[in-house]
Amino acid sequence: MEEALTGTPQEEQKRRRRTSPLFWLVWAVLIFCTLFWCGQLATRGSSGARPEGSTSGLLADYRPWPGLLFGPVGPGFIEDLQKALGVAGTPLGSGGCLLGLACAPIPTDTPTPTRTPIPTSTPTPTRTPTRTRTPVPSWTPTRTKKPPTATPVPSCSMVLGSLSVSGNSLTWTLSNNNSGAMFFAGSFVSWDNPGHTLNQLRFQTQYWTGPSGSPVSASASPPISLPSGGTRDWEAVFDSSNFDGTYSVSLDFGSCSKVASIAATPVPPTSTPVPPTATDTPTPTETPTDPPTPEDTPTPEDTPTPTETPP
């Protein structure tokens, strides 16, 4: 009997489930989702339909009313109207207007205003996202950068030549055996001969002008190029060829200097042979000679006449 009143254990378990808050929460979520999706489907299904306008279709006209024509009225009504308007006793004018009042002319037929169609809202097209193509990364070989090749620094030891005396000039012929050009920047010249004066300095072109005594320091501006494999003459031009003593020269090539010296001796003058002095040659005198005495010429003898011989 007690089991019949309480029910079976399965029914009791079902009843407890129905009264559980979790049970009603699940049903509430299901109902909300159902209503939400129904609303979404309804709005999407009606997106193409023409929406109804929210404004009234009636038009209001606030212009002065046109004059209206009406049939004859009783005189008593006209009198009452005049009294109401304060124009009693005023006769009626033409067209039924009360004299003394501004009567508008009888208007012609006014066209009935047409109803302006209400613009419909055009649905804004939704922007479709453009599908961009993601490039597949490709393998790029790494380029190994080679270390820069060191440029050899020009050396003065590769500039060959010798210092010599030529006439009234001190000459230094230079040959550049470096792989790159050398740049001549200036020179320093000194000598111990006080009677010698320096007039010019040249290296492919004249870069200093004197005169000046010892020493002389001069710069070439801009520097003068001595190309690789090229040969140039450096010259110091003096006022005379009287080289006597030690002459020192230092040539500046920027990164290095070329130094040399020479001990010069004066050149002895050469003796010029003196031609012999001409002596007077005695003039031969004529010795008179006696003419030969003519001898006696023999007288020719008579030649005998031939005689005729008889036949």
Side-chain angles (χ1 to χ4, degrees):
M1 184 68 178
E2 183 178 358
E3 185 180 354
L5 292 175
T6 59
T8 61
Q10 291 81 3
E11 292 177 354
E12 183 67 19
Q13 187 177 5
K14 290 181 181 180
R15 187 178 62 82
R16 290 180 179 177
R17 289 178 180 176
R18 290 170 185 166
T19 57
S20 174
L22 182 60
F23 175 80
W24 293 111
L25 180 61
V26 173
W27 274 102
V29 172
L30 291 175
I31 293 172
F32 174 78
C33 292
T34 302
L35 294 177
F36 176 77
W37 286 110
C38 288
Q40 291 295 323
L41 292 175
T43 55
R44 292 185 181 180
S46 62
S47 60
R50 178 179 178 182
E52 295 295 334
S54 59
T55 58
S56 174
L58 301 178
L59 297 177
D61 189 3
Y62 296 98
R63 293 176 297 178
W65 292 355
L68 299 178
L69 300 177
F70 50 87
V73 296
F77 177 77
I78 297 300
E79 293 176 359
D80 293 339
L81 180 61
Q82 290 175 340
K83 291 178 181 179
L85 296 175
V87 289
T90 303
L92 296 175
S94 62
C97 289
L98 294 175
L99 297 178
L101 298 177
C103 296
I106 300 175
T108 59
D109 294 339
T110 303
T112 305
T114 58
R115 182 178 179 181
T116 304
I118 301 172
T120 59
S121 59
T122 305
T124 305
T126 58
R127 182 177 180 183
T128 305
T130 305
R131 184 177 181 182
T132 58
R133 183 178 179 183
T134 304
V136 180
S138 59
W139 178 78
T140 305
T142 303
R143 185 175 182 179
T144 305
K145 187 176 181 181
K146 296 181 179 179
T149 304
T151 304
V153 179
S155 173
C156 286
S157 61
M158 299 298 291
V159 179
L160 306 179
S162 59
L163 192 63
S164 62
V165 174
S166 176
N168 64 334
S169 298
L170 192 62
T171 305
W172 196 350
T173 302
L174 302 171
S175 299
N176 183 14
N177 292 336
N178 288 282
S179 58
M182 300 284 288
F183 292 91
F184 174 75
S187 62
F188 179 81
V189 186
S190 63
W191 62 97
D192 54 6
N193 184 1
H196 226 180
T197 302
L198 183 62
N199 289 337
Q200 295 179 4
L201 290 175
R202 299 176 184 173
F203 187 77
Q204 185 180 357
T205 183
Q206 180 176 320
Y207 65 92
W208 180 86
T209 303
S212 176
S214 177
V216 173
S217 178
S219 299
S221 180
I224 304 171
S225 172
L226 177 59
S228 175
T231 301
R232 296 281 187 273
D233 286 339
W234 176 87
E235 290 182 282
V237 182
F238 288 83
D239 60 342
S240 67
S241 60
N242 184 25
F243 286 93
D244 186 11
T246 302
Y247 293 77
S248 300
V249 179
S250 175
L251 303 183
D252 181 15
F253 286 94
S255 60
C256 59
S257 297
K258 193 77 174 174
V259 180
S261 61
I262 185 173
T265 55
V267 179
T270 57
S271 58
T272 304
V274 179
T277 304
T279 57
D280 294 338
T281 304
T283 304
T285 58
E286 294 181 357
T287 303
T289 57
D290 295 336
T293 302
E295 298 179 353
D296 294 338
T297 304
T299 303
E301 296 179 357
D302 294 337
T303 303
T305 304
T307 59
E308 291 182 1
T309 304

